[in-house]
């Protein structure tokens, strides 16, 4: 059985006080639950990480950052490296989010470099891929996703792939209220798993968690997560409200 995961991406929202309150509320909610349905992760802004690590006391919620530097240390003003992230107590980092790709021009090559550095530091990577609207409309979505995987991830060894969670996030569905249909999500997730099988073999393909991201909410999560190749979700807007986020986790 593959691990089910729901990861919240807080993006650039919530000040320190608001963020720690939300982390505490999520921790308390799951502390009171008898069984875990899957792994829950919250990916906060950098400034929340150390405080949140101290607040997530019950060991049921993992913590992640949303980006990292491509260098380990040195004169890189304003950057935060994977080992700094790890030193806060975080275990995960999101790499390749479409907002990083488009607003900060992060290409497959730099994303691969960040991924290798993060893994070698001992972090797990939630690696995001997905096509923009005109790529889907022109029928090029499979080609785009394949390129993002081949150039961003496939330089990794099979062993290194154990530290990866893939998030398929069609860019046209992120923060837009538009969601891929369960069939569209399943079709792409199946394709991603086939590519993994071709490159790394059946075992790697079968155990890789592939999350869906793009306007997931309590009302649509169950149907999307019930698809055979969808192993949970990466949640943006709905991760900022304890009630919505926990309701999405409950659909696993
Ligand atoms: C995201 O930012 O990864 C995301 C999926 O956002 P939203 O859920 O708001 O579409």
């Amino acid at each position: 059985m593959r691990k089910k995961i729901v990861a919240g991406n807080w993006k650039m929202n919530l000040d320190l006080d608001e963020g720690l309150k939300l982390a505490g509320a999520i921790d308390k909610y799951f502390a009171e639950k008898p069984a875990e349905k899957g792994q829950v992760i919250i990916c906060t802004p950098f400034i929340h990480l150390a405080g949140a690590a101290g607040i997530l006391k019950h060991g049921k919620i993992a913590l992640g950052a949303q980006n990292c530097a491509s260098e380990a240390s040195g004169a890189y003003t304003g950057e935060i490296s994977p080992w700094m992230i790890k030193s806060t107590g975080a275990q995960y980092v999101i790499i390749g989010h479409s907002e990083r790709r488009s607003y900060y021009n992060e290409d497959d090559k730099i994303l691969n470099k960040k991924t290798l550095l993060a893994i070698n530091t001992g972090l797990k990577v939630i690696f995001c891929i997905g096509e923009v609207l005109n790529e889907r409309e022109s029928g090029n979505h499979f080609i785009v996703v394949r390129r993002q995987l081949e150039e961003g991830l496939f330089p990794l060894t099979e062993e290194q792939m154990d530290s990866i969670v893939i998030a398929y996030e069609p860019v046209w569905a992120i923060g837009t209220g538009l969601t891929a249909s369960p069939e569209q999500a399943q079709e792409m997730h199946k394709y991603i798993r086939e590519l993994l099988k071709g490159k790394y073999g059946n075992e790697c393909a079968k155990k890789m968690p592939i999350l869906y991201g793009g306007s997931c909410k309590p009302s649509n999560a169950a149907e999307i997560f019930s698809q055979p190749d969808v192993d949970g979700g990466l949640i943006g807007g709905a991760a900022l409200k304890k009630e919505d986020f926990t309701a999405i986790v409950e659909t696993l």
Side-chain angles (χ1 to χ4, degrees):
M1 276 287 282
R2 273 192 299 278
K3 202 182 206 179
K4 296 271 181 187
I5 299 174
V6 171
N9 174 15
W10 291 5
K11 311 197 188 193
M12 195 173 70
N13 292 295
L14 308 178
D15 69 16
L16 183 58
D17 189 45
E18 291 165 335
L20 297 187
K21 277 196 183 119
L22 179 57
I26 293 170
D27 184 68
K28 185 162 178 282
Y29 178 90
F30 288 106
E32 287 161 4
K33 291 268 152 189
E36 285 149 66
K37 295 190 164 188
Q39 176 68 65
V40 180
I41 308 168
I42 55 172
C43 297
T44 75
F46 291 127
I47 64 144
H48 298 82
L49 288 174
I55 280 176
L56 302 174
K57 300 188 280 287
H58 294 95
K60 291 190 169 174
I61 317 288
L63 184 63
Q66 303 166 17
N67 176 38
C68 66
S70 59
E71 304 293 336
S73 65
Y76 300 98
T77 302
E79 289 290 280
I80 307 283
S81 82
W83 69 261
M84 292 171 172
I85 293 169
K86 187 140 191 291
S87 74
T88 66
Q91 305 98 326
Y92 285 85
V93 59
I94 297 173
I95 293 181
H97 192 280
S98 66
E99 288 149 19
R100 300 293 319 172
R101 290 177 188 265
S102 66
Y103 303 150
Y104 303 97
N105 299 320
E106 295 192 357
D107 61 13
D108 298 317
K109 198 163 167 244
I110 195 84
L111 295 173
N112 180 251
K113 192 173 177 201
K114 288 185 175 197
T115 300
L116 283 168
L117 186 63
I119 288 174
N120 289 336
T121 309
L123 291 172
K124 289 190 190 307
V125 171
I126 301 173
F127 191 83
C128 301
I129 52 178
E131 79 285 358
V132 300
L133 187 59
N134 69 15
E135 290 164 340
R136 176 157 285 261
E137 285 177 344
S138 58
N140 287 325
H141 43 302
F142 292 113
I143 294 170
V144 170
V145 163
R146 183 183 185 129
R147 190 212 71 227
Q148 291 171 336
L149 280 175
E150 285 181 345
E151 295 182 16
L153 266 193
F154 287 4
L156 272 62
T157 64
E158 190 182 342
E159 198 189 345
Q160 288 171 326
M161 290 298 275
D162 284 341
S163 299
I164 299 292
V165 172
I166 293 173
Y168 169 60
E169 301 204 297
V171 181
W172 47 272
I174 296 179
T176 58
L178 295 173
T179 315
S181 68
E183 294 73 27
Q184 285 173 321
Q186 168 56 24
E187 183 185 38
M188 186 58 89
H189 283 225
K190 186 164 178 266
Y191 177 67
I192 293 166
R193 217 175 287 290
E194 276 161 13
L195 293 176
L196 289 168
K197 186 175 169 188
K199 169 73 184 172
Y200 295 103
N202 203 21
E203 205 194 319
C204 172
K206 265 177 34 195
K207 70 183 178 196
M208 177 64 68
I210 308 178
L211 313 185
Y212 168 80
S215 299
C216 256
K217 31 187 190 272
S219 57
N220 61 22
E223 206 186 350
I224 298 173
F225 296 174
S226 69
Q227 299 301 306
D229 287 292
V230 178
D231 304 309
L234 180 56
I235 317 299
L240 295 170
K241 287 203 188 112
K242 184 204 95 181
E243 289 71 21
D244 287 350
F245 186 63
T246 54
I248 290 172
V249 177
E250 294 292 352
T251 68
L252 280 177

